[in-house]
């Protein structure tokens, strides 16, 4: 989206503009593929899951897409991530989850995290989701020694996660089931994702920062949102761009028109100059 801002791309996507959708697919397909590696290992035809997600977004004049947050890109990506993972959950077979790794549940995860500083909770949560130590160090910009200190708590109950260095969830079906429970548990007391973004980007003072971080450290639902924002920010920057042929293949199945942008621009010129 070097030449198109996020808001222009999203607006264009909602009108079926092929130029906007090409930018959307170029930037977000690699991010989705990275999420699939972590959360959907073993799923048959992960590329097809993304195609089906895109078709769902484009139905009824892009109605689902219009329901996503539009204020900022990271808020939008949070909604896109949730939409994609919810849709893809049925592609996972629970019987293929590793049985030597305890089934993740909110009470079990909360027990592991209890009393740990927020930075350690972040690392632990994403480690249990399936991230390798090397990727966690990049996401949080931690030294290996700090990362290892965070992960010490896993030895008692989730020791198998410590040896996972493949960026791949050990119990993906159970993990997505738990994520669904956490998303459903959000309450009015939970701060907004917008506030979390401002805190993570250093845009607020301690009067807002401290209460927000305290809440996250005590609320697993908000910790999931908080860490999702971390991983989305990382993959938005780190994921390699999709090949042009792949983008064009996805674009070909969507209800888009190369002429949409030109028509919109002409309409604007007509309003401005009466021609």
């Amino acid at each position: 989206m070097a030449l198109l801002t996020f808001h222009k791309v999203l607006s264009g996507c909602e009108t079926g503009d092929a130029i906007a959708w090409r930018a959307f697919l170029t930037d977000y397909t690699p991010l989705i593929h990275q999420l699939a590696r972590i959360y959907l290992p073993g799923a048959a035809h992960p590329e097809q899951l993304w195609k089906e997600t895109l078709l769902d977004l484009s139905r009824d004049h892009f109605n689902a897409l219009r329901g996503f947050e539009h204020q900022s890109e990271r808020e939008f990506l949070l909604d896109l991530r949730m939409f994609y993972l919810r849709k893809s959950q049925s592609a996972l077979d629970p019987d293929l989850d590793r049985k030597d790794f305890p089934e993740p549940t909110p009470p079990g995860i909360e027990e592991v995290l209890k009393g740990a500083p927020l930075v350690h909770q972040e690392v632990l949560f994403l480690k249990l989701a399936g991230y390798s130590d090397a990727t966690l160090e990049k996401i949080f910009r931690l030294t290996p020694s700090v990362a290892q200190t965070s992960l010490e708590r896993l030895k008692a109950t989730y020791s198998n996660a410590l040896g996972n260095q493949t960026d791949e969830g050990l119990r993906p079906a159970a993990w997505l089931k738990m994520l669904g429970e956490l998303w459903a548990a959000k309450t009015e007391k939970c701060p907004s994702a917008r506030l979390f973004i401002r805190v993570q980007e250093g845009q607020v003072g301690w009067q807002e920062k401290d209460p927000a971080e305290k809440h996250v450290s005590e609320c697993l639902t908000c910790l999931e949102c908080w860490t999702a924002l971390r991983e989305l920010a990382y993959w938005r920057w780190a994921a390699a761009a999709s090949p042009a042929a792949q983008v064009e293949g996805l674009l070909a199945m969507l209800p888009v028109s190369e002429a949409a942008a030109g028509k919109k621009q002409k309409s604007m010129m007509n309003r401005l100059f009466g021609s």
Side-chain angles (χ1 to χ4, degrees), residues 1 6 9-10 23-25 27-32 35 50 57 65 68-85 183 193 197 224-225 228-237:
M1 296 184 188
F6 158 71
V9 167
L10 198 53
F24 180 103
L25 294 169
D27 283 350
Y28 298 150
T29 296
L31 184 153
I32 290 295
L35 294 180
W50 179 224
L57 290 176
L65 187 66
F68 289 4
E69 283 290 346
H70 285 47
Q71 183 71 20
S72 71
E73 185 180 42
R74 285 177 70 187
E75 287 179 278
F76 170 81
L77 288 175
L78 198 64
D79 281 349
L80 180 63
R81 172 185 178 272
M82 186 185 299
F83 188 88
Y84 171 70
L85 292 180
W183 294 333
I197 293 169
E224 194 283 324
C225 176
L229 289 168
R230 294 283 201 205
E231 71 175 348
L232 289 168
Y234 174 73
W235 289 124
R236 181 67 181 88
W237 166 80

Side-chain angles (χ1 to χ4, degrees), residues 202-250:
Q203 297 177 353
V204 300
W206 64 267
Q207 299 94 333
E208 290 182 279
K209 178 178 182 293
D210 288 358
E213 291 186 340
K214 184 177 186 298
H215 178 94
V216 172
S217 69
E218 298 172 349
C219 174
L220 196 60
T221 289
C222 286
L223 181 66
E224 194 283 324
C225 176
W226 180 274
T227 55
L229 289 168
R230 294 283 201 205
E231 71 175 348
L232 289 168
Y234 174 73
W235 289 124
R236 181 67 181 88
W237 166 80
S242 295
Q246 182 184 53
V247 170
E248 293 304 317
L250 293 170

Side-chain angles (χ1 to χ4, degrees), residues 81-100:
R81 172 185 178 272
M82 186 185 299
F83 188 88
Y84 171 70
L85 292 180
R86 274 179 168 161
K87 177 171 181 59
S88 302
Q89 182 178 2
S90 61
L92 294 172
D93 183 353
D95 291 336
L96 298 179
D97 278 5
R98 286 180 54 167
K99 299 303 184 283
D100 58 351

Side-chain angles (χ1 to χ4, degrees), residues 16 24 34 59 76 111 119 140 149 171 201-202 224 237:
F24 180 103
Q34 294 298 337
R59 286 192 177 92
F76 170 81
E111 184 62 29
V119 64
F140 296 107
T149 300
R171 296 204 65 166
E201 294 182 349
E224 194 283 324
W237 166 80

